[in-house]
Amino acid sequence: MRLLVVEDDRLLNNTLCYNLSAAGYTVDAAMTKSVAVSLCEAQDYDLIVLDVNLPDGNGFDFCTEIKERRPDTAVIFLTANDMESDMLRGFELGADDYVTKPFPISVFRKKVSALLSRIEKQTGGDCYTDGTLSINFSELTATLAGEPVIFTPFEYRLLKVLVRNPQIVLTRQVLLEKLWDADENFVDEHALTVAISRIRGKIEADGLQYIKTVYGMGYMWIGGIKK
């Protein structure tokens, strides 16, 4: 698991990074929003520990930007302000937790551990199953109602992005960026449309719908709902 700590208090930043590294996580640090943006453009993070007040911006705006580009990234806000309105705003933006300073490091580590464990459970590691459709992304194998289903490597990558962001609208731009990052090749909108159509043709049988088109926006994984 890779984590990013965005906190402008150097002592607190160092303390968090040290303790999270000691817990076995790969941790990067940023003290400004601009550095955090650069790091997030270079790679994905499973969790961002994010201070609300930064010297060159605020955490709420940064959270919005991250969630638009990478909706599956978890966020824990840090703040010295315990106002209910700020907490509600953080959760509305997609934050997973909210910690008011000062706080015991031992409790914070427990929060991080619990959150990341929950994320791993929800994504099922490198597999997906709902009782009808099963996909093993490590072995590139899949079955539907016990029968083998053949996907191309590109379709597996697309499926992985979709199933790891259930019930979240993924814009076409977000999908294209993620797929481009994964393959290091340009993916155009036509290829994306064709891949979505082919996946649907392979798994949406017997009245089941797995992928919902959100017109004017993109697609949402809804996981085998009866039409």
Side-chain angles (χ1 to χ4, degrees), residues 26-198:
T26 302
V27 186
D28 292 329
M31 295 183 64
T32 63
K33 179 185 173 185
S34 59
V35 171
V37 168
S38 297
L39 288 169
C40 289
E41 287 174 346
Q43 63 193 4
D44 288 347
Y45 289 95
D46 299 292
L47 169 64
I48 297 177
V49 179
L50 179 57
D51 189 15
V52 169
N53 297 307
L54 297 169
D56 56 345
N58 71 72
F60 293 133
D61 291 341
F62 182 57
C63 180
T64 300
E65 294 168 18
I66 288 299
K67 288 294 184 177
E68 285 176 353
R69 294 179 60 238
R70 297 189 174 103
D72 50 333
T73 300
V75 174
I76 294 179
F77 273 117
L78 302 179
T79 181
N81 191 345
D82 62 356
M83 286 181 60
E84 183 180 353
S85 58
D86 278 0
M87 292 184 181
L88 291 174
R89 184 180 177 192
F91 288 125
E92 286 168 359
L93 292 175
D96 297 87
D97 209 339
Y98 201 103
V99 180
T100 303
K101 305 174 192 174
F103 51 85
I105 291 295
S106 58
V107 173
F108 180 77
R109 281 179 53 171
K110 287 288 186 184
K111 280 179 173 283
V112 170
S113 176
L115 174 57
L116 293 176
S117 294
R118 189 169 78 243
I119 291 170
E120 281 190 315
K121 242 177 232 183
Q122 289 172 345
T123 58
D126 218 29
C127 296
Y128 168 86
T129 183
D130 58 24
T132 302
L133 175 65
S134 296
I135 307 172
N136 187 314
F137 292 105
S138 296
E139 299 178 2
L140 299 185
T141 58
T143 61
L144 182 69
E147 296 296 319
V149 182
I150 306 300
F151 295 113
T152 66
F154 177 73
E155 289 167 354
Y156 272 113
R157 287 196 297 276
L158 175 53
L159 278 164
K160 193 169 188 177
V161 174
L162 289 168
V163 304
R164 290 197 167 180
N165 295 278
Q167 305 300 324
I168 295 173
V169 178
L170 297 176
T171 66
R172 298 175 69 84
Q173 186 59 38
V174 165
L175 287 169
L176 291 171
E177 287 177 2
K178 285 180 172 289
L179 294 167
W180 190 1
D181 288 344
D183 198 32
E184 296 183 354
N185 288 315
F186 179 71
V187 180
D188 61 24
E189 290 210 18
H190 176 70
L192 176 61
T193 301
V194 170
I196 290 285
S197 178
R198 291 184 60 176

